[in-house]
């Protein structure tokens, strides 16, 4: 007579605050051979009496697994569950997963120490978005919860769960802030629950202007190198592949395989530079197979989670939208959240609801001053942040001064219209401040020269003597203290972000920071202002940046020539990282009208290295080369600049 084998059951005792550990624990216990795992979140039906169900679960289990954390230390429920299991003679396994004291119920008893010691085993590289996490994230609680649920489902290895989660929204709605804040609060602060590796990349750092095409080349190299795992030989093989001339599609597919086989977190922020614009025949389609391949691969199968932020929907993943690659439209801030955001800047207004929401319509809803302002800018997070900062700094938080911002003149078809109107008001306020305001304006205008963060060395080159007339005059001759006061003031106003990072060299005279950055919409505003009102300064500044980058980028062609004179072949070829300043130099040269020099002095001899076609035949940097070549066109791929000579054309 055949008998059925007895089922093995486990009971997970934990604090409600530690639910995220339980998902991982449940997957582990099932993999370890337990047929059933009691978890109060999923095992107790709604409206059932709590303790009788728990007592029954403990009585029927073989093993009680206790999750030891700071929260469970003070939980009466955990204490009662342990006491119950001991009274029934059950096997108890205490797992110490968080840095905290061992609770009294396990005093003088052995526990299994699974704490991560200073993240020895976990690899993370999230610096590219970490700095954009706000102190307080307002109005995005549901979206944060959505990401947490997606990660919890990854820990439980649920079928049909999100492998790729994409947030789509207009610029300035807070996509990057949302993801960065979630990473800080729910992952980093909690010891990266269940995470094997975490890597974040921002494509904003590679350029956002349509004239300069961004590419996946550097991302693929960095990501493949970061996620390389296995034996020493396997790791070296992956790193060699990352440096090889293999195509972006092939590298992207390989990246999906090595990321998807573990419980990894991959964040791709600001994907739109790699997508076709909404006005193109293929709106939103990914231009770059180095991104399309890994996204499709991860959507098809992954043990972890990939989070994407972008302004445009990604039709490449349409087949997975209803299953493993959902898109979430990040909507405007609610009226309540917008009012709360304004109040964090000490903006004050009447609470009386005596204003018509739609002016001229007597049947329209009546709102108060703060609510009216939120609705007038359609709950746009960046605009409300700028408005709050402007009203606080320029007018002591008096909402009545909102009339100085010509919101009604904003272009309804342009998503940045309201934000631009606030910046115009800010600009006027700075101009009325004298020297102090002129310094602030000059720094902001310098950011308009870049479509990526402005590094400290580029900033130093721009503010060096002689001044760029009409642009850097207010910054010439400032002391370190004066310069840093001006930068700190702009940071406090949330007009720019200071990235201090880990300095690999002594801080420059400019200040102890690596780069300055601003929201892409703000950079675009000052770029437009410079081109329109200060065209000579625009060209002169770009020329200075071109000369600086050419002078400071590694130049192995000179080493090569010297070695050839000596009859030896000892020289070092540049890496893809070495070429990045040169790609930027090409863009700055073309913005300044030096197209011919960009070709003859940089692209041909130092990037292509003549007939070696080094950049793409050795490094596989096809996308980066196309991005640089785009700079030589007035209209990309159809109209070359008239400043190029016939031979170069």
């Amino acid at each position: 007579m055949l008998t059925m084998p007895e089922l093995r059951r486990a009971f997970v005792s934990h604090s409600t605050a530690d639910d995220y550990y339980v998902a991982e624990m449940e997957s582990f216990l099932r993999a370890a051979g337990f047929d059933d795992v009691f978890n109060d979140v999923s095992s107790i039906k709604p409206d059932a009496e709590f303790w009788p169900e728990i007592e029954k679960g403990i009585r029927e289990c073989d093993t009680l697994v206790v999750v030891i954390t700071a929260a469970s230390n003070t939980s009466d429920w955990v204490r009662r569950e342990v006491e119950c299991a001991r009274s029934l003679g059950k096997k108890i396994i205490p797992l110490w997963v968080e840095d905290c004291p061992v609770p009294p119920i396990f005093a003088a008893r052995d526990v299994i120490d699974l704490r991560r010691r200073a993240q020895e085993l976990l690899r993370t590289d999230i610096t590219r978005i970490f700095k954009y996490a706000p102190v307080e994230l307002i109005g995005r609680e549901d979206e944060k919860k959505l990401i947490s649920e997606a990660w919890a489902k990854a820990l439980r290895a649920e079928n049909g769960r999100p492998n790729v989660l994409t947030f789509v929204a207009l610029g300035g709605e807070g996509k990057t802030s949302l993801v960065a804040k979630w990473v800080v609060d729910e992952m980093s602060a909690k010891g990266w629950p269940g995470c094997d590796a975490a890597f974040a990349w921002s494509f904003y750092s590679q350029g956002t202007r349509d004239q300069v095409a961004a590419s996946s080349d550097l991302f693929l190299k960095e990501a493949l190198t970061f996620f390389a795992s296995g034996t020493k030989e396997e790791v070296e093989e992956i790193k060699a592949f990352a440096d090889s001339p293999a195509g972006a599609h092939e590298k992207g597919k390989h990246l999906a395989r090595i990321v998807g086989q573990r419980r990894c977190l991959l964040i791709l922020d600001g994907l739109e530079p790699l997508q076709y614009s909404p006005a193109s025949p293929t709106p939103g389609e990914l231009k770059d197979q180095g991104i399309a391949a890994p996204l499709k691969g991860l959507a098809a199968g992954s043990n972890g989670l990939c989070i994407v932020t972008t302004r445009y929907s990604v039709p490449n993943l349409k087949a997975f939208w209803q299953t493993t690659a959902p898109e979430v439209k990040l909507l405007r801030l609610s009226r309540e959240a917008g009012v709360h955001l304004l109040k964090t800047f000490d903006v004050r207004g009447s609470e009386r609801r005596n204003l018509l929401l739609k002016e001229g319509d007597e049947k329209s809803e009546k709102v108060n001053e703060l609510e009216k302002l939120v609705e007038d800018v359609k709950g746009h997070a960046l605009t409300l942040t700028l408005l709050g900062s402007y009203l606080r700094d320029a007018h002591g938080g008096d909402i009545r001064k909102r009339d100085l911002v010509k919101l009604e003149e904003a272009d309804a078809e342009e998503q940045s219209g309201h934000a631009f109107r606030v910046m115009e008001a800010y600009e006027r306020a700075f101009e009325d401040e004298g020297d102090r305001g002129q310094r602030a304006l000059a720094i902001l205008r310098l950011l308009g020269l870049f479509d990526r963060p402005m590094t400290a060395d580029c900033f130093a080159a721009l503010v060096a003597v002689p001044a760029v007339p009409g642009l850097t005059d207010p910054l010439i001759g400032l002391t370190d203290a004066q310069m840093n006061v001006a930068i700190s003031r702009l940071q406090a106003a949330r007009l720019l972000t200071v990235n201090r990072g880990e300095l690999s060299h002594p801080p420059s005279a400019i200040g102890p920071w690596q780069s300055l950055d601003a929201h892409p919409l703000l950079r675009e505003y000052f770029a437009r202002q410079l081109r329109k009102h200060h065209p000579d300064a625009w060209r002169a500044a770009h020329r200075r940046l071109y000369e600086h980058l050419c002078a400071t980028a590694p130049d192995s062609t000179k080493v090569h020539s010297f070695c050839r004179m000596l009859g030896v072949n000892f020289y070092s070829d540049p890496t893809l990282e070495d070429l990045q300043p040169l790609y930027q130099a090409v863009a700055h040269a073309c913005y300044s009208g030096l197209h011919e020099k960009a070709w003859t002095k940089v692209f041909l001899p130092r990037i292509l290295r003549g007939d070696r076609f080094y950049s793409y035949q050795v490094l596989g940097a096809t996308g980066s080369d196309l991005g640089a070549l785009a700079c030589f066109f007035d209209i990309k791929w159809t109209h070359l600049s008239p400043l190029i000579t016939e031979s170069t054309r």
Side-chain angles (χ1 to χ4, degrees):
M1 179 179 176
L2 294 176
T3 58
M4 294 296 292
E6 188 176 346
L7 296 178
R8 297 182 65 209
R9 293 185 171 91
F11 184 107
V12 180
S13 176
H14 70 290
S15 167
T16 302
D18 299 323
D19 282 345
Y20 53 89
Y21 283 121
V22 177
E24 181 181 11
M25 199 68 65
E26 186 172 334
S27 299
F28 173 77
L29 290 170
R30 291 186 184 278
F34 284 92
D35 302 287
D36 186 43
V37 179
F38 185 99
N39 168 15
D40 58 22
V41 175
S42 56
S43 300
I44 299 179
K45 296 180 180 179
D47 201 38
E49 289 189 52
F50 213 68
W51 180 251
E53 291 293 324
I54 288 178
E55 197 171 26
K56 179 185 175 185
I58 296 174
R59 188 179 299 111
E60 294 178 350
C61 80
D62 303 292
T63 304
L64 183 90
V65 178
V66 185
V67 181
I68 299 177
T69 66
S72 68
N73 273 354
T74 58
S75 171
D76 288 335
W77 285 102
V78 172
R79 178 185 54 77
R80 288 179 66 185
E81 288 163 0
V82 173
E83 290 173 352
C84 179
R86 283 176 177 164
S87 69
L88 295 171
K90 299 296 181 180
K91 182 180 180 180
I92 299 176
I93 302 177
L95 301 180
W96 194 8
V97 299
E98 193 173 88
D99 278 324
C100 63
V102 174
I105 53 175
F106 292 111
R109 295 175 183 264
D110 189 29
V111 299
I112 299 174
D113 189 353
L114 295 181
R115 293 172 298 165
R116 293 191 188 276
R117 295 175 179 81
Q119 307 298 330
E120 290 173 6
L121 302 179
L122 174 70
R123 297 193 65 221
T124 65
D125 183 356
I126 58 167
T127 55
R128 295 173 186 86
I129 68 158
F130 197 89
K131 59 195 173 193
Y132 298 115
V135 175
E136 180 183 9
L137 184 66
I138 296 172
R140 299 301 185 197
E141 293 77 14
D142 291 343
E143 289 82 1
K144 277 185 69 179
K145 183 179 179 182
L146 184 66
I147 304 174
S148 294
E149 289 173 349
W151 182 250
K153 290 177 180 178
L155 298 184
R156 293 194 295 267
E158 289 189 11
N159 291 327
R161 63 175 181 82
N163 296 338
V164 179
L165 182 60
T166 302
F167 288 96
V168 181
L170 299 176
E173 292 290 5
K175 303 181 293 295
T176 301
S177 297
L178 164 66
V179 176
K181 186 63 172 174
W182 176 80
V183 169
V184 171
D185 288 353
E186 302 301 323
M187 297 298 284
S188 179
K190 294 181 178 179
W192 298 93
C195 187
D196 294 326
F199 182 80
W201 189 269
S202 175
F203 291 97
Y204 291 136
S205 66
Q206 291 182 254
T208 55
R209 291 178 188 153
D210 191 51
Q211 183 186 359
V212 186
S215 84
S216 65
D217 293 338
L218 190 58
F219 159 72
L220 289 172
K221 180 182 183 302
E222 295 288 337
L224 283 167
T225 301
F226 174 85
F227 284 111
S229 62
T231 65
K232 183 178 179 181
E233 291 74 19
E234 289 170 336
V235 169
E236 291 304 317
E237 184 179 348
I238 294 173
K239 290 181 177 180
F241 177 68
D243 285 323
S244 75
H249 183 263
E250 187 179 351
K251 288 182 178 179
K253 288 177 63 177
H254 193 68
L255 177 64
R257 284 196 296 272
I258 64 174
V259 171
Q261 67 188 6
R262 294 186 292 158
R263 197 177 286 134
C264 297
L265 176 65
L266 174 63
I267 297 171
L268 304 178
D269 180 49
L271 199 62
E272 62 268 15
L274 301 184
Q275 295 175 262
Y276 288 106
S277 72
S280 74
T282 55
E285 288 278 354
L286 289 163
K287 311 173 189 177
D288 195 313
Q289 287 302 305
I291 288 296
L295 285 179
K296 287 181 178 178
L298 292 172
S302 171
N303 289 314
L305 177 65
C306 175
I307 304 174
V308 177
T309 72
T310 177
R311 294 185 189 179
Y312 314 138
S313 178
V314 187
N316 304 68
L317 299 178
K318 188 174 182 178
F320 303 97
W321 281 351
Q322 302 303 317
T323 53
T324 58
E327 285 194 349
V328 179
K329 306 295 184 185
L330 197 64
L331 304 177
R332 50 155 285 174
L333 289 180
S334 68
R335 186 182 299 175
E336 295 73 20
V339 169
H340 180 39
L341 178 56
L342 287 172
K343 286 183 176 179
T344 64
F345 289 95
D346 296 324
V347 176
R348 302 180 308 281
S350 171
E351 298 288 341
R352 291 182 57 204
R353 289 192 167 90
N354 59 348
L355 301 175
L356 293 173
L357 182 59
K358 296 180 180 178
E359 295 179 12
D361 183 358
E362 292 300 324
K363 295 181 180 180
S364 175
E365 177 188 2
K366 289 188 176 181
V367 294
N368 64 36
E369 288 182 317
L370 290 166
E371 292 170 334
K372 183 72 164 65
L373 183 53
V374 171
E375 294 301 330
D376 283 350
V377 300
K378 299 177 173 35
H380 189 250
L382 176 63
T383 302
L384 287 170
T385 298
L386 294 174
L387 266 170
S389 177
Y390 165 72
L391 291 172
R392 178 196 63 192
D393 295 345
H395 304 291
D398 186 353
I399 198 170
R400 292 172 298 179
K401 297 296 183 180
R402 57 155 290 172
D403 292 340
L404 296 174
V405 182
K406 305 301 182 183
L407 295 174
E408 68 279 0
E409 296 178 7
D411 185 348
E413 300 300 319
E414 184 176 36
Q415 58 156 306
S416 54
H418 287 123
F420 281 11
R421 290 298 176 265
V422 181
M423 287 313 304
E424 287 176 359
Y426 238 133
E427 210 171 1
R428 290 193 297 271
F430 281 140
E431 286 172 347
D432 291 339
E433 284 187 2
D435 291 344
R436 183 168 175 260
Q438 291 301 322
R439 293 169 189 171
L441 267 181
I443 294 171
L444 291 172
R445 286 168 178 161
L446 291 183
L447 288 167
L449 298 167
F450 299 83
D451 60 354
R452 65 197 72 210
M454 175 172 59
T455 58
D457 63 296
C458 285
F459 183 63
L462 287 167
V463 300
V465 177
V468 177
L471 182 57
T472 65
D473 313 73
L475 302 176
I476 300 300
L478 293 187
T479 65
D480 297 349
Q482 289 172 320
M483 189 74 78
N484 289 321
V485 164
I487 290 172
S488 296
R489 178 195 181 194
L490 293 171
Q491 183 183 23
R494 302 194 197 181
L495 294 175
L496 58 74
T497 302
V498 180
N499 175 26
R500 289 179 171 83
E502 295 180 5
L503 295 171
S504 57
H505 52 79
S508 69
I510 296 301
W513 45 267
Q514 288 182 328
S515 63
L516 302 179
D517 197 9
H519 192 281
L521 291 183
L522 269 65
R523 289 202 305 260
E524 183 57 31
Y525 171 81
F526 285 106
R528 292 186 186 187
Q529 293 296 92
L530 272 175
R531 287 196 300 263
K532 181 178 179 180
H533 301 294
H534 307 278
D536 292 339
W538 168 263
R539 288 189 292 270
H542 279 297
R543 177 168 189 147
R544 184 173 293 192
L545 288 169
Y546 156 71
E547 292 170 347
H548 165 71
L549 291 167
C550 285
T552 55
D555 190 358
S556 59
T557 58
K558 295 179 180 179
V559 180
H560 184 195
S561 301
F562 178 71
C563 293
R564 187 166 52 195
M565 288 170 51
L566 297 178
V568 297
N569 291 319
F570 183 77
Y571 63 93
S572 174
D573 278 331
T575 64
L576 187 56
E577 291 85 349
D578 291 335
L579 293 184
Q580 294 309 305
L582 297 177
Y583 286 122
Q584 294 177 47
V586 168
H588 288 299
C590 292
Y591 279 130
S592 66
L594 301 176
H595 296 70
E596 192 66 21
K597 282 192 173 183
W599 177 260
T600 59
K601 302 294 184 182
V602 184
F603 193 83
L604 187 60
R606 298 181 66 177
I607 294 177
L608 289 183
R609 307 194 73 185
D611 56 9
R612 285 187 69 191
F613 302 105
Y614 174 80
S615 49
Y616 68 87
Q617 287 200 355
V618 176
L619 299 179
T622 307
S624 298
D625 283 359
L626 286 172
L629 285 170
C631 299
F632 294 94
F633 289 79
D634 284 349
I635 301 176
K636 194 158 56 179
W637 312 133
T638 59
H639 292 73
L640 278 165
S641 168
L643 299 176
I644 299 174
T645 64
E646 188 60 34
S647 60
T648 297
R649 296 170 75 87

